[in-house]
Amino acid sequence: SAPLIPGFTQEPGDSTAGEHAQEPGAHDDGQEHDETVLAQNMETIKKGMRRLRRGLKDQEQLPAALPLILSMQEAAHLCKIEIPAMAEGVEGEEAKATFVKGDRLGMIKMQGQLLQLETAVLNGDVAAAQKVFGGLKDSQEAGHEKFTEE
């Protein structure tokens, strides 16, 4: 079948993102898990958000946030090219394409915010980092309301 929108050729849960994508079921705890690449990378972002909440408090802590921000950027990229499972429940190809496009645009916005956060951290600007983080949190919450079943 034809892709829903340009740049999407996989079905939900399939990944063509390359060697950095986590394989479904691959976790550090040694147990089998049946999660999609999308779910695994969203978990990376979620954990990063929790750690950043504490790690952007003062200038001395900022350098430690950089590797975390980079892993979140990579996870956001991998999420962006996946089709959310909820798309399966959307009736009609046009509506489904609109849904998937909205999800991708939300992830692109998150990528931009993560780049702004990286810039603020590199510049040692705690106030700017906290402001960008607040916007990132708002975007994450809005995306979850619309594109997840949580």
Side-chain angles (χ1 to χ4, degrees):
S1 70
L4 293 175
I5 60 175
F8 286 96
T9 57
Q10 66 274 10
E11 292 299 314
D14 292 346
S15 177
T16 57
E19 61 195 59
H20 298 291
Q22 289 186 338
E23 291 298 318
H27 282 270
D28 296 331
D29 62 11
Q31 297 179 9
E32 280 277 324
H33 294 274
D34 185 27
E35 290 187 15
T36 64
V37 171
L38 179 62
Q40 290 174 351
N41 285 293
M42 289 304 290
E43 186 65 22
T44 296
I45 294 169
K46 183 178 175 182
K47 286 178 181 177
M49 292 293 289
R50 281 196 302 258
R51 289 181 61 199
L52 283 176
R53 185 176 53 230
R54 295 181 298 272
L56 300 175
K57 302 260 187 227
D58 64 60
Q59 202 165 18
E60 288 179 14
Q61 294 178 327
L62 291 183
L66 284 172
L68 190 56
I69 294 167
L70 293 175
S71 71
M72 292 170 68
Q73 289 171 351
E74 182 178 16
H77 170 73
L78 295 172
C79 290
K80 173 179 81 172
I81 59 176
E82 294 290 322
I83 297 175
M86 280 185 63
E88 290 300 309
V90 177
E91 295 290 325
E93 287 303 310
E94 191 173 321
K96 189 178 292 190
T98 299
F99 179 85
V100 171
K101 179 182 176 183
D103 180 67
R104 185 168 186 168
L105 288 171
M107 292 309 300
I108 290 168
K109 179 179 180 182
M110 176 177 274
Q111 285 179 302
Q113 290 170 312
L114 286 166
L115 290 170
Q116 290 174 354
L117 183 59
E118 181 181 8
T119 301
V121 168
L122 284 171
N123 286 330
D125 190 338
V126 174
Q130 289 177 339
K131 182 178 179 182
V132 172
F133 181 76
L136 194 55
K137 226 168 68 171
D138 292 343
S139 293
Q140 183 186 34
E141 290 169 9
H144 284 178
E145 284 181 28
K146 188 169 185 178
F147 298 108
T148 66
E149 298 172 314
E150 293 177 1

